[in-house]
């Protein structure tokens, strides 16, 4: 696999349907202090959520070893309850990643969720080869955990 590419590589989570309104799910998604209670992939987040501000994402080590690492990205779009976008900016030479988290209203009490990460740059192929399956598994776990968390909280809020 070549390490030079202009073609984007996209990792996409499973799409889940959630038995809760889109605005309710948005509030769960951006309730960062509670991430340690439910999010298996992004175990902590620090951000003001202001466009242009950093978002520090604490993730488990990709190799499964104990511990975590912080991945700094930058908030680009905050469009509640529809889209949250952030990217790596210039943090990682040779790689640029854009993460989109989508919430789609499917009616007054249902929505869909999925997330994508689009990698470009000189090292995109290498990143995908070495971390693509880990990112995909993490994104799928987040989608399922968000569904479970939002549905549990929705029942408790009634």
């Amino acid at each position: 696999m070549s390490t030079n590419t202009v073609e984007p590589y996209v990792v996409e989570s499973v799409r889940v349907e959630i038995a809760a309104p889109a605005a309710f799910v948005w509030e769960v998604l951006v309730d960062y202090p509670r991430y340690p209670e439910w999010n298996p992939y992004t175990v902590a987040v620090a951000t003001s959520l202001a466009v242009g501000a950093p978002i520090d994402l604490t993730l488990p080590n990709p190799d499964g070893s104990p511990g975590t690492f912080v991945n700094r990205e930058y908030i680009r779009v905050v469009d509640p309850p529809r889209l949250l976008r952030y990217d790596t900016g210039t943090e990682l030479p040779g790689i640029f990643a854009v993460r989109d988290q989508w919430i789609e209203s499917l009616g007054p009490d249902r929505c869909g969720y999925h997330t994508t990460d689009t990698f470009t740059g000189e090292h995109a192929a290498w990143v995908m080869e070495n971390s693509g399956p880990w990112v995909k598994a993490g994104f799928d776990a987040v989608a399922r955990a968000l569904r479970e968390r939002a549905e549990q909280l929705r029942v408790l809020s009634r």
Side-chain angles (χ1 to χ4, degrees):
M1 190 176 261
S2 170
T3 58
N4 292 314
T5 185
V6 294
E7 294 294 319
Y9 292 87
V10 179
V11 176
E12 185 170 359
S13 74
V14 294
R15 293 173 185 262
V16 295
E17 285 193 20
I18 303 172
F24 187 89
V25 173
W26 176 269
E27 292 303 319
V28 174
L29 182 66
V30 299
D31 186 4
Y32 297 126
R34 291 210 160 85
Y35 266 35
E37 297 173 16
W38 68 270
N39 194 316
Y41 182 68
T42 310
V43 297
V45 176
T47 187
S48 67
L49 211 56
V51 173
I55 181 168
D56 291 333
L57 307 157
T58 302
L59 307 168
N61 288 328
D63 64 4
S65 64
T68 59
F69 70 98
V70 175
N71 184 50
R72 172 164 280 182
E73 300 195 19
Y74 296 89
I75 302 291
R76 301 302 182 202
V77 177
V78 180
D79 183 12
R82 191 180 73 83
L83 172 64
L84 177 61
R85 174 178 291 153
Y86 41 90
D87 65 47
T88 55
T90 58
E91 290 289 316
L92 306 167
I95 187 73
F96 183 69
V98 178
R99 171 101 184 260
D100 288 322
Q101 294 186 77
W102 296 96
I103 299 172
E104 176 189 7
S105 179
L106 301 174
D109 294 314
R110 291 196 77 68
C111 66
Y113 169 86
H114 76 283
T115 187
T116 61
D117 216 344
T118 303
F119 295 91
T120 57
E122 173 182 4
H123 304 299
W126 182 88
V127 168
M128 287 302 296
E129 185 176 312
N130 289 282
S131 298
W134 172 74
V135 172
K136 167 73 171 141
F139 282 6
D140 288 351
V142 168
R144 291 179 181 113
L146 177 62
R147 176 181 57 204
E148 183 176 329
R149 175 75 171 188
E151 289 179 352
Q152 287 174 348
L153 291 175
R154 182 73 173 148
V155 168
L156 293 174
S157 73
R158 290 184 177 195

